[in-house]
Amino acid sequence: IEITDSNATDSPHPARYLQYRLTLSDSETEVRRVRFFYRHTNAAPKITAIRVVTGGLGFEQFPLPPQQGSVDLEQLFRPSNNNSNSSSESRQQLRAFEKPGVVTIAWKARDPNNDQLRFCVKLRRAEDPVWKTIGDDLDAHFLSFDSNGMDEGFYQAKIIASDHLSNPIAEARTGERLSERFLIDNSAPEIEVGKIEISGKDATISISVKDEKSIITAAEYILDGSDPVSVFPEDGLFDSREETFKIELQNLSSGRRTLLFKVADEKQNLRIEPIVIEIGSL
């Protein structure tokens, strides 16, 4: 390929390197500088990973003061890099918070051309073909949203990355990826108090717990405001959406005793049930 003064040319083959040869017309000709300007074919961005957290953990951004870097005269002699970020630009820091019902979707993305990316987040129920946009033109790699009031069940997220900020409209590309299915469950387990057996100063309480969507993961009781006492299911494992418990209390003092039974599912939904026990005097 012959390239003359400021003439553009297209490479016949995709390649990463350019080799050139200069032919000088006479011995007095000097070459002081050779410059080539090139542009790669735009490639689509890629979403490389998605993580969904449904345990009530959210994130939010807040700005940090601009950083003022030191001045170095050697920078005047280094090749300029127009793509580098100035040290005085504002930066963003993440802050975590906990709130029941909050869902966080986080993702990793890369662009072969190092283009600036913007993201769109869509959501749908697992059996629904229609996607609904819950976040658009995002520069962060996460989105936290409140799922309280949403229909419970399994959902799926779709992340779409676009490089339109760094390319002409006709050449902009997008890439997308689907998340694994995840469960939105904001309902606490149901507690059913069964038989209460009183034998002198001792009491035995039978309790059944049921959750429609999630596995029961923890249970405890507080007797008359004392320290919490952990309780395990009768089969010894928290491994089901239905569990039964038996609480045995001994050497209780006479009168009305109040027991608060608390249970949680794997989505951190809590239910507390007060249970009154009458212990007679001997």
Side-chain angles (χ1 to χ4, degrees):
I1 302 173
E2 182 179 356
I3 304 176
T4 58
D5 184 27
S6 299
N7 288 336
T9 183
D10 291 327
S11 174
H13 307 290
R16 295 181 57 191
Y17 300 98
L18 176 67
Q19 186 178 33
Y20 66 92
R21 181 177 63 187
L22 294 176
T23 302
L24 305 181
S25 58
D26 56 68
S27 59
E28 297 182 357
T29 301
E30 292 185 1
V31 178
R32 295 177 178 240
R33 183 172 62 170
V34 176
R35 292 198 300 172
F36 293 94
F37 300 92
Y38 66 93
R39 183 164 65 92
H40 290 296
T41 301
N42 188 32
K46 293 183 179 180
I47 305 294
T48 59
I50 300 177
R51 173 78 187 279
V52 180
V53 180
T54 58
L57 178 65
F59 294 90
E60 56 188 359
Q61 286 185 318
F62 65 95
L64 291 176
Q67 272 188 336
Q68 297 294 338
S70 60
V71 177
D72 181 4
L73 289 179
E74 289 296 326
Q75 294 177 356
L76 299 177
F77 302 96
R78 297 171 189 159
S80 61
N81 184 1
N82 295 330
N83 294 326
S84 62
N85 293 326
S86 171
S87 60
S88 62
E89 291 182 354
S90 63
R91 299 168 297 142
Q92 297 291 327
Q93 180 70 27
L94 292 184
R95 175 167 47 211
F97 65 91
E98 293 184 359
K99 181 182 177 182
V102 168
V103 177
T104 295
I105 305 173
W107 56 89
K108 291 183 178 182
R110 63 179 180 86
D111 187 89
N113 308 104
N114 293 322
D115 289 337
Q116 187 177 1
L117 298 180
R118 286 293 187 268
F119 303 98
C120 175
V121 181
K122 295 180 179 289
L123 194 68
R124 71 174 180 184
R125 293 197 65 172
E127 65 276 8
D128 191 346
V130 179
W131 291 95
K132 297 180 180 179
T133 300
I134 61 173
D136 199 8
D137 199 31
L138 305 175
D139 59 351
H141 287 235
F142 76 95
L143 176 66
S144 295
F145 65 94
D146 192 343
S147 68
N148 287 296
M150 296 177 58
D151 293 336
E152 296 183 344
F154 284 94
Y155 283 76
Q156 195 171 29
K158 176 165 64 174
I159 312 299
I160 304 172
S162 172
D163 61 6
H164 65 275
L165 293 180
S166 301
N167 295 279
I169 296 177
E171 298 181 23
R173 303 286 299 276
T174 62
E176 64 182 50
R177 185 177 180 130
L178 301 181
S179 74
E180 298 290 337
R181 298 198 315 164
F182 59 92
L183 177 64
I184 290 182
D185 174 19
N186 296 320
S187 296
E190 297 293 332
I191 299 175
E192 181 179 349
V193 180
K195 190 175 182 180
I196 301 177
E197 298 179 344
I198 307 295
S199 177
K201 298 294 184 178
D202 300 337
T204 301
I205 308 170
S206 297
I207 302 174
S208 298
V209 177
K210 180 179 180 180
D211 194 283
E212 290 294 330
K213 302 293 185 182
S214 303
I215 292 175
I216 309 301
T217 57
E220 65 182 23
Y221 70 84
I222 298 174
L223 180 63
D224 291 337
S226 59
D227 293 334
V229 178
S230 297
V231 185
F232 283 88
E234 289 193 276
D235 63 5
L237 289 175
F238 288 104
D239 59 354
S240 173
R241 292 186 289 109
E242 297 185 30
E243 300 286 2
T244 59
F245 300 85
K246 183 170 287 187
I247 299 176
E248 296 181 345
L249 307 173
Q250 297 178 339
N251 297 322
L252 299 174
S253 58
S254 300
R256 173 172 290 190
R257 313 301 302 277
T258 301
L259 181 142
L260 297 179
F261 181 73
K262 182 170 70 173
V263 66
D265 63 16
E266 59 185 327
K267 301 302 179 184
Q268 306 302 314
N269 298 308
L270 302 176
R271 178 83 68 183
I272 299 177
E273 182 75 18
I275 304 172
V276 176
I277 308 168
E278 294 284 353
I279 304 294
S281 58
L282 296 179

